Amino acid sequence: MSSLDAPALAAYIDHTLLAPEATPADVAALAREAVDLGTYSICISPSMLPLTGSPDLGTVKVATVCGFPSGKHTSRMKADEAREAVAHGADEVDMVIDLGLAKAGDADALTAQIALVKQAVPAPHVLKVIIESAALSDDKIRLACRCALDAGADFVKTSTGFHPAGGASVHAIALMRSVVGERCGVKASGGIRDYATAMAMIDAGATRLGCSASRAILAGAPV
């Protein structure tokens, strides 16, 4: 297994708080912790934007979600949600696909949905596409990743962390990386709670990690 020290590993992490009961004070505390830990970003619910009463984030980016967590929103709703998030200060948007389209093998409709949201998240803003990999077969994971590529997404992402099927796995990350190659990033999210798991995801091909247990994960890094 590879080894990264805490600052190097922190640069992979979207420090995440998507709990429905989160308060503005909780988000401010998350932001302070992200700055302290040196994470790549914070990831928060869109209703928490624009950020007010939070510390200066410095280089820490702001990410949010759309179509979350079920993905069963219309394409136009997802695009409008993403557009509003960008207008309110989001640097990155993590969208949930309509899993039914992936399971049905409807590549055209799925690609069109992702492309519509990408239009609302233009460069240099970043669009990540959550495929809920634990709920899909390997063939459907491949299909969802190809659709994300064809639609111009910047990342594919394993999970919301809310689906009963589970979160990220090394197998899913390796499979997703095999499909996208170096053409876009791969984000592992859901169930990453310790250093060894984080490093296993990176070794499998993850270039970003979604974590709520960031401090505990980084505490396990070698000095």
Side-chain angles (χ1 to χ4, degrees):
M1 186 176 73
S2 300
S3 178
L4 294 174
D5 64 15
L9 180 55
Y12 282 80
I13 292 176
D14 291 343
H15 190 36
T16 302
L17 176 63
L18 295 168
E21 68 273 19
T23 66
D26 294 331
V27 170
L30 181 86
R32 287 191 294 271
E33 189 170 47
V35 171
D36 181 48
L37 296 173
T39 64
Y40 183 84
S41 78
I42 57 171
C43 185
I44 57 177
S45 298
S47 62
M48 296 303 193
L49 297 171
L51 283 174
T52 58
S54 294
D56 180 3
L57 287 171
T59 61
V60 176
K61 303 289 188 183
V62 176
T64 192
V65 292
C66 79
F68 195 88
S70 73
K72 300 303 281 189
H73 308 64
T74 68
S75 299
R76 182 65 62 186
M77 288 169 68
K78 291 179 185 180
D80 287 347
E81 189 177 16
R83 187 174 296 106
E84 181 177 305
V86 168
H88 288 170
D91 300 298
E92 303 189 351
V93 176
D94 295 18
M95 70 166 285
V96 186
I97 65 166
D98 184 329
L99 280 174
L101 296 178
K103 293 194 76 170
D106 194 340
D108 289 345
L110 183 54
T111 301
Q113 178 175 99
I114 299 167
L116 190 64
V117 178
K118 180 56 186 172
Q119 291 175 20
V121 189
H125 299 88
V126 168
L127 177 66
K128 308 189 201 84
V129 175
I130 305 172
I131 67 169
E132 212 69 272
S133 56
L136 297 177
S137 68
D138 285 1
D139 283 346
K140 300 310 183 188
I141 289 172
R142 292 186 186 96
L143 179 144
C145 288
R146 288 194 294 267
C147 291
L149 281 176
D150 290 346
D154 302 291
F155 273 79
V156 288
K157 174 180 170 181
T158 57
S159 321
T160 60
F162 284 74
H163 198 286
S169 70
V170 167
H171 171 76
I173 290 295
L175 179 58
M176 293 161 70
R177 177 55 71 193
S178 74
V179 175
V180 304
E182 299 304 316
R183 289 171 288 175
C184 73
V186 176
K187 178 175 173 179
S189 184
I192 303 169
R193 299 185 180 91
D194 57 50
Y195 178 80
T197 303
M199 290 309 309
M201 297 297 173
I202 292 171
D203 283 347
T207 48
R208 194 80 65 83
L209 306 173
C211 307
S212 58
S214 306
R215 187 174 290 282
I217 291 167
L218 295 173
V223 177

